[in-house]
Amino acid sequence: MKKFMDEDFLLTTDVAKKLYHNYAENMPIIDYHCHINPQEIWEDRKFDNITQVWLGGDHYKWRQMRSNGIDEKYITGDVSDREKFQKWAETLEKLIGNPLYHWSHLELKRYFGYEGYLSGETAEEVWNLCNEKLSQDDMTVRNIIRKSGVELICTTDDPVDSLEYHKKLAADESFDVRVLPAWRPDKAMNLEKPEYLDYLKKLEEVSGITIDSYASLMKALKVRMDYFAEVGCSVSDHALEYVMYAPVPADEIEAIFQKRLSGAGITKEDELKFKTAFMLEVGKEYNRRNWVMQLHYGCKRDNNVLRYRQLGPDTGYDCINNYAPSAQMADFLNALSETDELPKTILYSLNPNDNASIGTIIGCFQNEKTVGRIQQGSAWWFNDHKTGMTDQMISLANLGMLSNFIGMLTDSRSFLSYTRHEYFRRIMCELIGKWVDNGEYPEDYKTLEKIVKGISYNNVVQYFEF
């Protein structure tokens, strides 16, 4: 029996062990999509205790605590951090087969040197160990990032954001990790939201553009894109509930926008037409700027209305949407490709049933300009586990070119989440190692090294041109 999470964790063949330890393990990290707060990096925050690091805003953990029948006061309530940690420890010990069990223990090993396992019984021991470590100067946010081997971070930022802390970090020569903004204009697109008109006022203020037409909305956004580009942005990100493509005349889009400006209600069809036109317009602009476009879809958000009213969004009440927009996505990309205005694009679906459709869609729009111009993104959110990652990579290998895959990202709000790159790399090396061990690919380590280092790091650098 293997020891719990030893140095060969998840690696079962000699080839897999060699691929990981010789090639993948020490490659740097490019975290091209996450939700961490750049202000905390600038301020070099030092956390008071492990609960602040682990449970503050982590809806992955919150969901499991609720599944374990934990009272909400121990999750998002105002009880002490020690009490919250105890309830998380009592929950974690039950999470056999769940990636949170692996992630949590990788973090305990790598950042705190803890070789045991966390449970309700060991909670006091782990609490004291972690808090003692967190009190040391080498466990500030910047030092955690440094010791994780991170070279570059892309945060997630709204067009109205000031990017104040990105600019401060860029000017700080004492911190050599690049922290760049990523453009996330969902609020400018989601005209169905009740707060949309208030948002447009904020966009007017920061852009200096009066938004009284669809054309002026786009002008304001392009002004802000210029500002983001000055601070180093070259990556966009969109959360799409639906993907729809159908040609809509410009005057109809303007009529829909004017209807919304007047405060009149809009139909679902109006909403989808507007969002399609919006995405086509910004997609063309990304192509002109050589920005990468990331599209996340397949999520049904905020399903528990009672809890949404109490706690707000991003608190653990989202689920997979069965809607599979493969034909619409292909049409959308084709509309940009037809005029040679399709930017580098990464497609993520929360529904694992979309793996094959994405694998075939991306093959329709590759070209000689950029290796792997259209990518399937790494297994996302509810698929961010051993089975989900393996299935995504097998599907991509079957239908496309795994060797050109840009690999893992954290998509996290936690500064300890960089061990997810280790987790991914181990799973990737195990998969490739089994293919070699089974005689499905030659034991050609010169080529295998290129493949493994490419997926771990080199492909990202080449693709994003960081």
Side-chain angles (χ1 to χ4, degrees), residues 8 39 68 85 219 237 281 312 345 369-370 389 399 401 411 434 465:
D8 293 327
Q39 181 177 351
N68 198 35
F85 182 76
K219 184 177 180 181
D237 180 44
E281 185 79 13
T345 301
K369 294 180 181 178
T370 303
M389 291 179 187
L399 299 169
M401 192 169 289
D411 191 25
K434 280 187 174 180
E465 303 178 54

Side-chain angles (χ1 to χ4, degrees), residues 55-56 80 89 107 117 123 158 181 217 250 282 326 333 348 368 374 402 456 459:
L55 295 172
S80 71
E107 291 170 19
Y117 49 91
D158 189 275
L217 169 65
V282 296
S326 56
L333 297 180
Y348 308 81
E368 72 283 357
I374 313 301
L402 180 63
S456 299
N459 295 347

Side-chain angles (χ1 to χ4, degrees), residues 5 9-11 19-21 23-36 99 102-104 106-107 110-111 144-145 147-154 177 294 348 378-379 384-386 389 393 405-430 452-461 464 466:
M5 291 184 69
F9 173 56
L10 298 178
L11 308 171
L19 295 180
Y20 177 72
H21 293 300
Y23 306 139
E25 184 173 11
N26 295 317
M27 294 299 286
I29 290 173
I30 301 289
D31 195 20
Y32 56 88
H33 174 65
C34 72
H35 297 276
I36 60 175
H102 296 150
W103 296 348
S104 298
L106 279 174
E107 291 170 19
R110 300 295 176 252
Y111 297 108
I144 290 171
I145 292 171
K147 68 174 59 180
S148 302
V150 179
E151 287 189 349
L152 184 146
I153 296 168
C154 288
V177 177
Q294 298 181 93
Y348 308 81
S378 62
D384 198 1
H385 47 72
K386 184 171 69 171
M389 291 179 187
M393 284 187 280
F405 177 37
I406 57 173
M408 186 58 177
L409 69 169
T410 62
D411 191 25
S412 172
R413 292 168 173 80
S414 170
F415 289 99
L416 300 184
S417 293
Y418 298 111
T419 53
R420 295 185 192 178
H421 286 262
E422 175 184 344
Y423 191 59
F424 166 82
R425 291 173 184 181
R426 287 177 179 272
I427 292 166
M428 180 258 293
C429 289
E430 170 69 1
V452 169
K453 287 186 174 181
I455 298 171
S456 299
Y457 170 79
N458 291 333
N459 295 347
V460 174
V461 176
F464 286 93
F466 286 136

Side-chain angles (χ1 to χ4, degrees), residues 377-392:
S378 62
W380 171 45
W381 197 347
F382 295 127
N383 305 303
D384 198 1
H385 47 72
K386 184 171 69 171
T387 301
M389 291 179 187
T390 302
D391 287 349
Q392 183 266 340

Side-chain angles (χ1 to χ4, degrees), residues 290-303:
N290 194 32
W291 283 17
V292 174
M293 177 169 68
Q294 298 181 93
L295 304 178
H296 290 81
Y297 57 93
C299 179
K300 187 174 184 300
R301 299 178 184 273
D302 304 321
N303 294 286

Side-chain angles (χ1 to χ4, degrees), residues 22 61 64 74 139 168 197 202 231 304-305 320 322 332 335 339 347 395 423 459:
N22 289 10
K61 295 185 178 74
Q64 301 309 325
Y74 296 105
M139 283 295 284
K168 287 182 176 181
L197 298 183
K202 296 178 183 177
V231 189
N304 188 325
V305 174
I320 292 172
N322 259 339
F332 170 71
T339 55
L347 303 179
S395 180
Y423 191 59
N459 295 347

